[in-house]
Amino acid sequence: MDPGGATHADTASGGAGGAVGVRIQQTRRLPDFLQSVNLKYVKLGYHYLISNLLTLCFIPLIIVTLIEASQMNLNDIRQLWLHLQYNLLGVVICSAFLVFGLTVYIMTRPRPIYLVDYSCYRPPDQLKAPFGSFMEHSRLNGNFDDSSLEFQRKILERSGLGEETYVPEAMHQIPPTPSMTAAREEAEQVMFGALDNLFANTNVKPKDIGVLVVNCSLFNPTPSLSAMIVNKYKLRGNIRSFNLGGMGCSAGVIAVDLAGELLQVHRNTYAVVVSTENITQNWYFGNKKSMLIPNCLFRVGCSAVLLSNKAMDRRRAKYKLVHVVRTHRGADEKAFRCVYQEQDDQGKTGVSLSKDLMAIAGGALKTNITTLGPLVLPISEQLLFFSTLLVKKLFNETVKPYIPDFKLAFDHFCIHAGGRAVIDELEKNLQLLPIHVEASRMTLHRFGNTSSSSIWYELAYIEAKGRMRKGNRVWQIAFGSGFKCNSAVWQALRNVKPSRNGPWEDCVHKYPVKILA
């Protein structure tokens, strides 16, 4: 559970986030055609021209070659053949180098990693926690004073969460029962629920799994969560299993990266990535404001992802992994401590969120997209960015840096649903449209902050809405304690339809809903 990803920005900016309606009377005037043309048509034309510059340069060369070839007669072809015969040694050497180069390329090129399918756990209805029930339970358990109760009420109202999110069974009890047994039961319920659905939808036998990666930040029992899965599904004895702990909301992308690296080494196999968070033993029962926010934001959730390096799986796979970019700011002390598990003055354990969290997250995002940009942005955007940067450095420091248009690189955005303020800031700073952040907002509203699995609930929302088309690119971006910002880029291999028993199957028709600030 990474409240860092969840971001206390919801409380810091929640009040300021409330929109105040002000009617401003404007004088009628002609539209600024120059600005609109620059933004819409000239930029699109420039993007097309630069992106296809190499092709446009080769067209004259190809035309000249075709003209010369069409003018050759049989005698010219015979002379060319004789010339090649007299230079047999050169032909053989060139052919040998060509074969050697192709062999090296085929042997060393990265194997494509396919996302066959994934599953997101949908808890039973009895675990739903409407605001009224949440506040009544908080009052009855006797741990919170009036100030803390009022603080939690305000956070809930401004959080962007809806009335149908889920908390674990132990938190529905009065008093709560955050025992080890209850925590194990929560972990088994969500992990096995997601995996059962994944195996049913893909018809993959558990014995065929060669790599297993599980990530859960704050609950790491012995035996591990990965061992619980091995025991439940009787996975094979030589499975490569890993259990990632303490890595926060961005650990889902880290787990995908680790599984992808292992699939580069181990041929012809499957990898399963399970991303979850455990709430039962990590509920805070004190009155320190900065440690109360996770109680209001984090909810039950889990995802299970099936990856493959088998060429035969390309036909049925949904996506292909294109890039993973990871950024770690842990060397900076403020970044390292901005999301910190500790005890309060009364000895009660919780996760404290620093007031600098949003600034640190912004710095991590800037570093991450600086690395990701050259990999995904069209050359037109890269040239505009670097030329503006050069002008700013050499001539005029007041020139604003050009913000690349990531909408030219991606068709869909899955921004970690850590909190309303996080989504608001990324929408503004990346100049996204409301539809680009719709999946994140609706996931936050319907399921809350499910930590590292939230980006998969968002992808499921896009599929459930029927928006995923062949060739579309998806950008998954998540923030986590440490402090980390990680990105994964996927490309759709077909028009993707939602899988059976998806998390939005019974409610997608209700969305999008209008969320009042």
Side-chain angles (χ1 to χ4, degrees), residues 439-510:
S440 300
R441 292 194 190 281
M442 298 308 107
T443 296
L444 181 65
H445 182 272
R446 177 63 181 85
F447 295 99
N449 182 348
T450 60
S451 190
S452 55
S453 64
S454 68
I455 54 178
W456 298 105
Y457 285 87
E458 294 163 17
L459 188 60
Y461 178 85
I462 297 170
E463 293 179 4
K465 282 295 184 181
R467 298 171 182 170
M468 191 64 67
R469 295 288 180 263
K470 182 178 180 180
N472 282 179
R473 284 197 168 197
V474 186
W475 182 14
Q476 292 180 323
I477 183 165
F479 302 91
S481 57
F483 191 85
K484 298 178 287 292
C485 175
N486 299 320
S487 295
V489 180
W490 304 88
Q491 184 173 26
L493 298 176
R494 53 186 169 89
N495 295 342
V496 181
K497 297 180 180 179
S499 302
R500 293 189 303 272
N501 298 319
W504 299 93
E505 193 170 73
D506 64 340
C507 61
V508 72
H509 62 280
K510 303 176 184 177

Side-chain angles (χ1 to χ4, degrees), residues 345-501:
D345 296 337
Q346 279 69 48
K348 296 180 179 180
T349 303
V351 177
S352 177
L353 307 181
S354 166
K355 65 181 185 301
D356 300 320
L357 182 55
M358 283 302 291
I360 292 167
L365 173 65
K366 181 179 178 181
T367 303
N368 189 267
I369 64 176
T370 300
T371 306
L372 180 67
L375 299 175
V376 298
L377 287 169
I379 190 65
S380 59
E381 290 297 294
Q382 296 186 45
L383 288 176
L384 279 173
F385 174 76
F386 286 114
S387 61
T388 307
L389 186 63
L390 189 63
V391 170
K392 178 180 174 64
K393 292 291 185 182
L394 296 180
F395 303 107
N396 189 354
E397 294 185 357
T398 62
V399 174
K400 292 184 178 181
Y402 176 73
I403 300 176
D405 187 356
F406 280 92
K407 298 187 293 294
L408 295 174
F410 303 111
D411 303 282
H412 307 283
F413 297 79
C414 295
I415 300 167
H416 166 55
R420 181 176 55 82
V422 176
I423 302 170
D424 288 346
E425 286 301 309
L426 264 71
E427 179 184 12
K428 181 178 70 174
N429 292 331
L430 295 179
Q431 300 175 354
L432 303 179
L433 301 174
I435 194 171
H436 293 134
V437 295
E438 182 183 309
S440 300
R441 292 194 190 281
M442 298 308 107
T443 296
L444 181 65
H445 182 272
R446 177 63 181 85
F447 295 99
N449 182 348
T450 60
S451 190
S452 55
S453 64
S454 68
I455 54 178
W456 298 105
Y457 285 87
E458 294 163 17
L459 188 60
Y461 178 85
I462 297 170
E463 293 179 4
K465 282 295 184 181
R467 298 171 182 170
M468 191 64 67
R469 295 288 180 263
K470 182 178 180 180
N472 282 179
R473 284 197 168 197
V474 186
W475 182 14
Q476 292 180 323
I477 183 165
F479 302 91
S481 57
F483 191 85
K484 298 178 287 292
C485 175
N486 299 320
S487 295
V489 180
W490 304 88
Q491 184 173 26
L493 298 176
R494 53 186 169 89
N495 295 342
V496 181
K497 297 180 180 179
S499 302
R500 293 189 303 272
N501 298 319

Side-chain angles (χ1 to χ4, degrees), residues 60-81:
L61 182 62
I62 294 171
I63 293 174
V64 171
T65 304
L66 290 175
I67 292 174
E68 289 293 330
S70 65
Q71 294 177 349
M72 293 180 66
N73 52 35
L74 290 176
N75 186 52
D76 294 330
I77 296 173
R78 190 180 299 109
Q79 290 295 325
L80 179 61
W81 173 249

